[in-house]
Amino acid sequence: LGLTTDVTELLVDFNNDIDEATTKSAIDKIVEDAKKKLDEIKAAEIAKAKEDAKNEIYEYKKEDETNLPEIVKVKEDAKEEIKNTDDIEKINEIVKAAKDKIDEIINNTEYTVVFYGLMNKKLSTQTVGYKKAATTPKMNATQKGWNNSIEVEFLGWNIEADTLNAVTSNLEVRAQFKVLKATTKISI
């Protein structure tokens, strides 16, 4: 709104100056000055649009940059494109395209999560989207292993639930157990 007000006031002032001018050369000078001032206002508007666009891109999905470094590349490329244009409409298109590309990276990123149980037996392999939850396999509270010579209690997984609920890397998840009873058979 401030920029529109500046231009409107400037045009009113120049119009009044032209009305008061008495020679063609005075009018030509007023028009020349008006063009220069309008160019300055336009340059300031473009500079502000570029700065705002760079800030918007910088902040967009910033929390995901560590896990998805390709987002940083998209942002750097967009900032370079913004630097090289003086068209506000083009700047807005660059911002939208960068955001769309970042969203595409996030939506198309998948990880493999493998769950292992007693005796390192593979229980499940899952493909999980970025920051999506892996589904933990159902585990019995107690289990027997090694030819029934050991009885264990399932305690949980070696990976925290927060990590399993928002996967950001490939994971190997192992069941953790407490030994309840162990027997050994001795042959003589």
Side-chain angles (χ1 to χ4, degrees):
L1 183 65
L3 191 59
T4 304
T5 303
D6 290 346
V7 171
T8 302
E9 288 174 6
L10 184 68
L11 292 174
V12 168
D13 289 345
F14 285 129
N15 203 18
N16 289 338
D17 290 346
I18 288 172
D19 286 345
E20 294 173 7
T22 57
T23 65
K24 180 171 178 349
S25 62
I27 292 172
D28 290 344
K29 176 75 170 117
I30 293 166
V31 169
E32 182 182 326
D33 290 347
K35 285 180 181 179
K36 284 182 186 176
K37 189 64 177 168
L38 288 171
D39 287 344
E40 289 172 11
I41 291 171
K42 182 178 180 183
E45 180 183 31
I46 291 170
K48 182 175 179 350
K50 285 183 175 189
E51 189 63 30
D52 290 348
K54 288 178 185 177
N55 289 336
E56 185 175 347
I57 289 171
Y58 175 78
E59 291 298 329
Y60 191 71
K61 307 284 180 161
K62 186 177 175 183
E63 69 279 2
D64 296 313
E65 292 176 8
T66 302
N67 298 317
L68 301 171
E70 55 267 46
I71 289 176
V72 174
K73 173 82 169 101
V74 171
K75 289 181 174 189
E76 288 171 357
D77 291 348
K79 288 177 185 177
E80 188 64 27
E81 284 184 64
I82 289 168
K83 182 175 116 183
N84 294 324
T85 188
D86 287 331
D87 181 336
I88 291 176
E89 189 173 311
K90 178 70 175 163
I91 291 168
N92 293 332
E93 289 171 8
I94 293 167
V95 170
K96 182 184 180 326
K99 286 179 166 183
D100 289 347
K101 181 67 176 168
I102 290 167
D103 290 340
E104 181 182 330
I105 290 168
I106 289 170
N107 292 332
N108 291 332
T109 299
E110 295 181 327
Y111 299 102
T112 301
V113 180
V114 183
F115 286 89
Y116 294 93
L118 189 61
M119 297 174 52
N120 219 24
K121 179 183 175 191
K122 189 185 290 186
L123 302 174
S124 76
T125 301
Q126 302 170 22
T127 301
V128 181
Y130 178 73
K131 287 193 174 177
K132 301 294 184 207
T135 304
T136 56
K138 184 82 171 144
M139 297 292 288
N140 293 328
T142 59
Q143 297 180 28
K144 292 185 178 187
W146 292 284
N147 296 324
N148 291 326
S149 63
I150 189 168
E151 186 175 346
V152 295
E153 176 185 359
F154 174 67
L155 299 175
W157 303 100
N158 68 324
I159 306 278
E160 295 291 326
D162 288 349
T163 301
L164 295 175
N165 288 328
V167 175
T168 60
S169 66
N170 293 325
L171 298 172
E172 288 191 354
V173 186
R174 302 193 185 285
Q176 296 181 320
F177 299 96
K178 171 181 160 186
V179 176
L180 298 175
K181 181 169 54 168
T183 59
T184 53
K185 297 179 183 175
I186 300 173
S187 298
I188 302 184

